[in-house]
Amino acid sequence: MNQERILAVHDISCVGRCSLTVALPIVSSVGIECSVLPTAVLSTHTGGFTGFTYRDLTEDIVPIEEHWKTLDLKFDAFYTGFLGSFEQIDLVMKLVDELSHEGTTVYVDPVMGDKGNLYSVFGPDFPAGMRRLCEKADVIIPNLTELSFMMGREYVEGPYTREYIDSVLEDAREFGVDRIVITGISFEEGMVGAVFLDYNTGEKGEVMRPEIPGYYHGTGDVFGSALVGACESGLSLSDAVEVAVDFTVGSITRTREAGTDIRYGVNFEGGLFDYISDVRARKN
Ligand code: PXL
């Protein structure tokens, strides 16, 4: 069997465990070749740190793609996250078009913000651009902040009613994707997790776990990477969401128990063995 090759398109935050420093080890751990296209290089991520460096790699995308085209490279999946500039949206859309084959699956995590706010590095026009990239995807993995910005919906704090989230899932049908997984959803105080819907089959579900107080950086990327790794390993959407939620909760729990500075991300490394075992067990 051919080994699966995916392209992860995110920034490299050198320190702080998010984006590529998370996607690469997690996706690789389940036996998938994870190639990377770095969108920017930062000394740390932008959450909770000041004075970080930021090198935008927009100019490198076309030459990198041109080289890959000489190699006749096609990717079995794309997993895009934090983009380094507004211009990168179109460049990444073109790259996806040109380096896909018929069976390629495109996962887009429209990394832009959280808790009702856009990250400081993104201007107000960014959500409309990111929406266009989402419309190219097979699977999108937004949080409710990102979805609200892209849909022009007012962001409201949870806990939510199931009717409200159903209406959001239904409205998001207009993106034209096959599947959506929304992270950071709560239906009752003290519980949080992810909801998902497959628009083709109608399969819908939620995976909720006890909420761990505090804000932990990079957990969206840990979740997204674990989800992509599990889906691309052949797991059903509901199994993949469950595996990814449990891996993320385990990472947060380990970090909370260690009492480390939460700006440095979560200890996902200690959960990789269980993640791999969980994916393998559900594959059979
Ligand atoms: O985890 C999302 C993310 C990715 N990349 C950078 C970030 C953030 C969130 O703050 O700053 C650079």
Side-chain angles (χ1 to χ4, degrees):
M1 206 177 83
N2 277 348
Q3 189 186 7
E4 168 98 22
R5 175 190 279 143
I6 92 157
L7 182 68
V9 183
H10 304 247
D11 68 284
I12 299 180
S13 288
C14 300
V15 166
R17 283 187 291 201
C18 66
S19 319
L20 283 182
T21 63
V22 164
L24 190 48
I26 295 174
V27 170
S28 300
S29 77
V30 285
I32 296 168
E33 178 186 346
C34 188
S35 302
V36 299
L37 179 61
T39 57
V41 179
L42 295 83
S43 50
T44 64
H45 60 70
T46 65
F49 293 105
T50 52
F52 51 83
T53 68
Y54 191 106
R55 184 173 300 278
D56 170 7
L57 296 180
T58 305
E59 278 180 22
D60 293 282
I61 293 182
V62 172
I64 289 173
E65 181 187 345
E66 289 307 315
H67 181 224
W68 287 347
K69 284 199 312 215
T70 69
L71 305 175
D72 273 336
L73 270 179
K74 301 283 179 200
F75 293 97
D76 301 308
F78 290 87
Y79 168 34
T80 78
F82 183 100
L83 300 186
S85 71
F86 188 80
E87 297 72 55
Q88 287 187 8
I89 294 168
D90 283 322
L91 296 176
V92 170
M93 285 170 66
K94 180 170 154 294
L95 183 123
V96 166
D97 275 340
E98 295 185 348
L99 301 180
S100 289
H101 58 70
E102 268 181 9
T104 297
T105 306
V106 181
Y107 298 83
V108 174
D109 182 345
V111 175
M112 279 184 295
D114 207 1
K115 303 257 172 252
N117 299 307
L118 282 186
Y119 295 137
S120 57
V121 289
F122 296 123
D125 52 349
F126 207 81
M130 191 57 107
R131 182 183 167 124
R132 288 190 290 111
L133 179 58
C134 283
E135 287 169 354
K136 275 200 100 50
D138 299 292
V139 186
I140 55 172
I141 319 166
N143 61 34
L144 207 53
T145 300
E146 292 153 347
L147 203 50
S148 303
F149 271 103
M150 288 192 291
M151 297 173 74
R153 259 178 177 260
E154 188 196 347
Y155 172 78
V156 281
E157 287 275 334
Y160 308 100
T161 62
R162 288 196 169 69
E163 292 69 35
Y164 177 76
I165 294 301
D166 281 349
S167 78
V168 172
L169 288 167
E170 205 41 55
D171 288 356
R173 190 184 282 276
E174 62 190 38
F175 283 81
V177 299
D178 292 329
R179 297 163 156 197
I180 184 171
V181 181
I182 313 179
T183 54
I185 298 298
S186 171
F187 293 118
E188 56 181 301
E189 290 293 346
M191 298 293 284
V192 68
V195 297
F196 61 90
L197 174 62
D198 183 319
Y199 290 106
N200 297 325
T201 63
E203 183 195 5
K204 190 166 87 171
E206 61 186 60
V207 177
M208 295 294 144
R209 298 288 183 264
E211 183 169 8
I212 301 159
Y215 183 82
Y216 290 84
H217 273 283
T219 49
D221 297 335
V222 169
F223 175 84
S225 304
L227 183 84
V228 170
C231 287
E232 287 302 298
S233 299
L235 266 60
S236 68
L237 184 59
S238 64
D239 271 352
V241 173
E242 194 166 345
V243 166
V245 166
D246 285 333
F247 180 59
T248 309
V249 170
S251 305
I252 298 171
T253 306
R254 231 170 275 118
T255 309
R256 182 176 164 81
E257 283 167 0
T260 42
D261 183 338
I262 55 172
R263 293 179 303 169
Y264 292 93
V266 290
N267 177 353
F268 70 88
E269 295 90 342
L272 281 173
F273 180 82
D274 286 344
Y275 168 64
I276 299 166
S277 309
D278 209 1
V279 168
R280 285 209 181 138
R282 290 170 194 249
K283 238 165 130 168
N284 304 319

